[in-house]
Amino acid sequence: MRAVSRGAPTRGLLVALLLVAPAAGVLHWLESWLAHDMAYRLLADMRMRFFRKLVALGPAYLSARRTGDLLGVARTTSS
């Protein structure tokens, strides 16, 4: 703004803006995409571990328990 109000040349600033703005947009998109990808991979891994614990417990054990109790059992057996 100062350069424009003083009448100084602004061509260099405009070129820098035209280069930096798209790069910032692309980097922001990449950061968001990577964060979502990592979150979904972590969720999938947690679900697979939980399922393996449930399968190891067997059907007779599962039918006699409530859902919340199963979560507690899976947490204590995972360590």
Side-chain angles (χ1 to χ4, degrees), residues 27-37:
L27 289 174
H28 178 70
W29 174 81
L30 183 63
E31 175 192 15
S32 178
W33 183 78
L34 287 173
H36 281 93
D37 183 58

Side-chain angles (χ1 to χ4, degrees), residues 27-66:
L27 289 174
H28 178 70
W29 174 81
L30 183 63
E31 175 192 15
S32 178
W33 183 78
L34 287 173
H36 281 93
D37 183 58
M38 184 173 57
Y40 285 116
R41 288 176 190 260
L42 286 171
L43 282 173
D45 184 51
M46 288 170 49
R47 288 177 180 151
M48 291 301 293
R49 287 181 184 190
F50 183 69
F51 181 73
R52 283 187 207 112
K53 294 292 180 181
L54 288 178
V55 167
L57 292 174
Y61 183 83
L62 296 176
S63 63
R65 303 278 188 224
R66 295 180 306 184

